[in-house]
Amino acid sequence: MNAVNVRPLAYLIIGVAACGSPRLRDARDIAASLATDVGPRLAGSPGDHAAVAWAERTMRELGLSNVHTEPVMVPVWRRGVEKAELVESHQGLAVTALGWSGPTPEEGIVADVVEVGSLEALAQMPKDAVAGKIVFANVVMPRTDDGHGYGKTVPVRLFGPKAAMDAGAAAFVVRSLSTSTDHDPHAGSTALREVANPIAAGALATADADLLHATLARGAPVKMKLVLRPERGPDAPSANVVGEVPGAKKPDEVVLLGAHLDSWDLARGAIDDGAGCGIVLQAARVIAARHRPSRTVRVVLFAAEENSVAGAKAYAAVHAPEVDKIILAMEADSGTDRARYVKLLGDPAKAAAFERIAHGLERLGIARADGDARPGTDVAPLVALGVPTIEVRQDATRYFDIHHSALDTPDKLDADALAQVSSAFAEIALGVADLDGDLGRVPEAKRKAE
Ligand SMILES: [Zn+2]
């Protein structure tokens, strides 16, 4: 058994005091620095370029080696003016354009609103009930501790705009995918990127979706004025940013820790995904300062997760020839709360090694769960090539209160929880880097994400 499995938690956390960079003491400080010093950083924006520079600088400051960027071209979509109001009552509604939304005319559109409760209900609407109207998809996202409420409702945001467009709708608005009731709309992507001349698609703040629903429930027609003026630009240069703790014995074999560097433009991206950047950078920093792992531990901060997953797709394509040397790929993109359990997706015949490593996490309050790990968005292209993944499942109960909204600010970061998650990443990375064997490859039938 590897010595890492019996190392006290305090060693991993307190040991960092001597790791240089008093400015960035822990995972929280790193996340807060990205959210404060860079802020919003949508792919291809000036904030995105500042984030790449921040990542290179911070990796060096934290003691990582081989720090470099790997260029990626990212698609560009920019938000413009956005306004919505109920025409009869002149009440304003807080709205934001969804990613890849088309624009309304400059003066906006005024149309009757038709409410639907699901994608299936939209598909069953007679065409003349939808044509020329603003479709309002009002699906309440359930609060769950594992985040599956998002998985259940996100298809409405992703595919609702195209379905409404195909049915002849003038525009589409969705109730924000949020578990809180407030006046902050939550941004997010749609499947309109590949669509020519898409309709305008926006998200209403949950409190305003409630207002619209209550107004429609009176039975009289309700007109909305909607102005959304986003635009697309030509693809722009960005980069995945990479830093390493070089392996002492097998430097060409890699344990990859990923998070995404970009954020939605409304958000300062403290929890999504400053937290993940903080978790993996802190884990690598502790390993660099205290250990000489047999294999290389590599941090990759991916570009453009939010608008296209362009960074992760490019990484897997470029590194496909040496993918057999990537022993494990893990991702931190689940916010700022404590980890509860870990799961593996790898070769079932090699699960004993994972069980030993997971056993060492019990004193962090992290259990081993049965069933396959769910690959994160940015490691999914590597998992599709057979690279095993270990999922560190964090409590997601609060995550979607602020996800993709202007509420995603550094005050939400929980230093203790981030230290726990970061310690788990460090222990797993070290444990796998020092394994005599490996975790095999993901069986062919399980390589595609559900
Ligand atoms: Zn994210």
Side-chain angles (χ1 to χ4, degrees):
M1 182 188 284
N2 194 290
V4 68
N5 293 337
V6 294
R7 183 174 298 116
L9 169 63
Y11 186 69
L12 283 169
I13 297 174
I14 296 164
V16 176
C19 295
S21 187
R23 185 178 75 88
L24 303 174
R25 289 161 305 176
D26 55 15
R28 190 217 76 94
D29 282 357
I30 298 167
S33 168
L34 179 56
T36 303
D37 301 334
V38 177
R41 45 195 184 275
L42 188 57
S45 69
D48 185 31
H49 298 144
V52 168
W54 174 92
E56 285 192 88
R57 195 168 68 234
T58 301
M59 284 180 177
R60 293 199 175 96
E61 186 175 339
L62 298 177
L64 303 196
S65 304
N66 306 331
V67 175
H68 66 279
T69 58
E70 301 189 5
V72 185
M73 292 303 284
V74 296
V76 171
W77 175 92
R78 281 184 289 269
R79 187 175 305 287
V81 175
E82 37 197 26
K83 281 188 282 192
E85 76 169 22
L86 298 179
V87 172
E88 286 88 358
S89 66
H90 302 287
Q91 294 195 75
L93 305 170
V95 69
T96 198
L98 291 170
W100 307 108
S101 166
T104 63
E106 209 173 329
E107 67 280 10
I109 56 174
V110 176
D112 284 344
V113 178
V114 54
E115 179 173 340
V116 296
S118 65
L119 277 179
E120 295 70 32
L122 175 55
Q124 283 159 16
M125 297 278 283
K127 280 226 166 183
D128 59 354
V130 175
K133 308 245 172 84
I134 297 175
V135 170
F136 165 43
N138 189 26
V139 185
V140 178
M141 181 178 163
R143 186 183 293 280
T144 58
D145 63 5
D146 66 357
H148 82 265
Y150 188 66
K152 262 174 83 169
T153 46
V154 76
V156 177
R157 190 194 73 209
L158 288 172
F159 306 115
K162 174 72 163 52
M165 181 176 168
D166 290 345
F172 173 89
V173 290
V174 69
R175 177 191 186 89
S176 282
L177 269 58
S178 166
T179 39
S180 64
T181 304
D182 56 46
H183 290 280
D184 283 275
H186 295 234
S189 204
T190 68
L192 291 175
R193 186 152 80 87
E194 309 299 337
V195 174
N197 304 314
I199 59 170
L204 295 175
T206 48
D208 297 295
D210 284 342
L211 168 66
L212 181 54
H213 172 77
T215 308
L216 285 160
R218 301 216 167 103
V222 175
K223 276 194 197 316
M224 184 194 292
K225 179 173 181 184
L226 182 66
V227 185
L228 295 176
R229 298 286 293 160
E231 57 181 22
R232 298 184 185 205
D235 288 1
S238 183
N240 296 322
V241 186
V242 181
E244 294 182 341
V245 185
K249 294 187 185 141
K250 300 175 185 165
D252 60 330
E253 294 190 10
V254 171
V255 172
L256 187 153
L257 306 182
H260 68 85
L261 191 53
D262 64 306
S263 77
W264 276 105
D265 54 339
L266 299 178
R268 282 161 65 194
I271 66 152
D272 188 11
D273 188 20
C277 294
I279 288 164
V280 297
L281 287 171
Q282 178 69 7
R285 162 211 229 161
V286 171
I287 294 169
R290 298 287 172 204
H291 306 280
R292 295 220 65 198
S294 290
R295 296 182 170 104
T296 293
V297 175
R298 176 183 296 164
V299 171
V300 182
L301 300 185
F302 292 100
E305 190 267 350
E306 299 290 8
N307 84 353
S308 59
V309 198
K313 288 178 181 166
Y315 188 88
V318 168
H319 293 274
E322 75 258 18
V323 79
D324 289 346
K325 300 284 192 186
I326 303 178
I327 304 303
L328 173 71
M330 294 172 65
E331 176 173 328
D333 187 14
S334 303
T336 185
D337 286 315
R338 294 176 75 83
R340 293 180 152 186
Y341 55 87
V342 287
K343 285 184 175 185
L344 169 71
L345 178 60
D347 180 349
K350 308 237 181 164
F354 167 66
E355 282 167 27
R356 277 201 306 279
I357 292 167
H359 184 67
L361 301 175
E362 284 173 6
R363 66 188 159 61
L364 293 174
I366 300 172
R368 180 179 63 80
D370 292 329
D372 291 333
R374 193 174 55 181
T377 306
D378 281 322
V379 297
L382 292 170
V383 172
L385 298 174
V387 177
T389 190
I390 292 174
E391 177 184 7
V392 178
R393 181 69 72 87
Q394 293 170 246
D395 185 338
T397 307
R398 305 184 307 157
Y399 181 58
F400 292 99
D401 288 350
I402 63 177
H403 176 255
H404 293 184
S405 80
L407 301 166
D408 183 1
T409 48
D411 54 290
K412 312 301 190 308
L413 296 166
D414 180 331
D416 290 343
L418 289 171
Q420 182 240 18
V421 182
S422 185
S423 294
F425 269 76
E427 295 219 10
I428 295 166
L430 256 181
V432 174
D434 287 345
L435 269 184
D436 286 335
D438 58 32
L439 299 170
R441 296 284 100 183
V442 176
E444 202 77 50
K446 294 184 171 182
R447 290 184 181 189
K448 281 273 170 273
E450 312 143 27

